[in-house]
Amino acid sequence: MSSTPSTGKDGATYSEVFANGQFRVLFGSFTLLVVGDQVKMLALAALVYARTGSPGLSATAYMLGFLPYAVGGTFLLSLADRVRPRALMVVGELVRVVTCLLLALTGMPVWAMLALVLATGLFSPVFGAARSALLPELLPGDAFVLARSALSMTSAGAQIGGLGLGGGVLAVAG
């Protein structure tokens, strides 16, 4: 299979979209990102509950994974237009890795964990915009529409899968 972009002709198929090696990498990394974010937020909510015994604070911890999209999307999206998409996507993944390592390994107080998730989450819309900006370069025309559709459908499934995986991890870990 070729990793060259589609010709942009009308009537693209999903097989043509997934024949593009660069899109397959983008698709796989996006799927892992969504699953990982769900596992991270579920684990954080469970950790906050275990430390505080507060269902409200636990729900707030889970919600903080989504809240930054409203603020970051409103005020920071112009950054995605100023930085090359691939570089921005790499920075985004590094920020996520560092955030997860800090949450998992440092024993931070609850307020610091929530502040870290909120602060780093502000840039999530910027990293997502970089992915969206790269997509039409990889797959022009109808192939772009199908690729965007595949990513949207996968997002919902990966969220459900991530919650299931996170629940399984919590059940095993206690």
Side-chain angles (χ1 to χ4, degrees):
M1 294 283 173
S2 167
S3 67
T4 59
S6 172
T7 61
K9 66 176 175 58
D10 286 343
T13 65
Y14 281 109
S15 61
E16 290 172 349
V17 169
F18 282 97
N20 183 308
Q22 293 177 346
F23 175 72
R24 286 194 310 267
V25 170
L26 187 73
F27 179 82
S29 67
F30 175 71
T31 303
L32 289 173
L33 171 125
V34 174
V35 169
D37 274 352
Q38 294 304 309
V39 171
K40 174 188 79 177
M41 294 314 298
L42 187 59
L44 177 63
L47 180 62
V48 167
Y49 182 76
R51 286 192 184 173
T52 65
S54 168
L57 196 53
S58 179
T60 300
Y62 188 80
M63 181 198 64
L64 283 180
F66 302 103
L67 181 64
Y69 280 89
V71 177
T74 302
F75 297 108
L76 298 175
L77 272 181
S78 64
L79 290 174
D81 296 329
R82 296 184 179 126
V83 181
R84 291 185 7 236
R86 292 173 197 260
L88 199 52
M89 289 168 52
V90 169
V91 168
E93 295 309 318
L94 292 174
V95 166
R96 284 184 177 92
V97 166
V98 169
T99 300
C100 288
L101 287 173
L102 288 172
L103 290 172
L105 302 176
T106 61
M108 300 169 100
V110 170
W111 69 266
M113 289 189 302
L114 298 179
L116 177 66
V117 168
L118 186 61
T120 58
L122 289 173
F123 293 94
S124 292
V126 177
F127 305 140
R131 181 179 304 99
S132 296
L134 185 61
L135 201 54
E137 291 177 25
L138 297 178
L139 297 159
D142 279 355
F144 163 74
V145 175
L146 290 179
R148 190 178 60 193
S149 172
L151 289 175
S152 295
M153 289 185 296
T154 299
S155 177
Q159 285 178 350
I160 293 167
L163 289 172
L165 179 63
V169 167
L170 288 174
V172 169

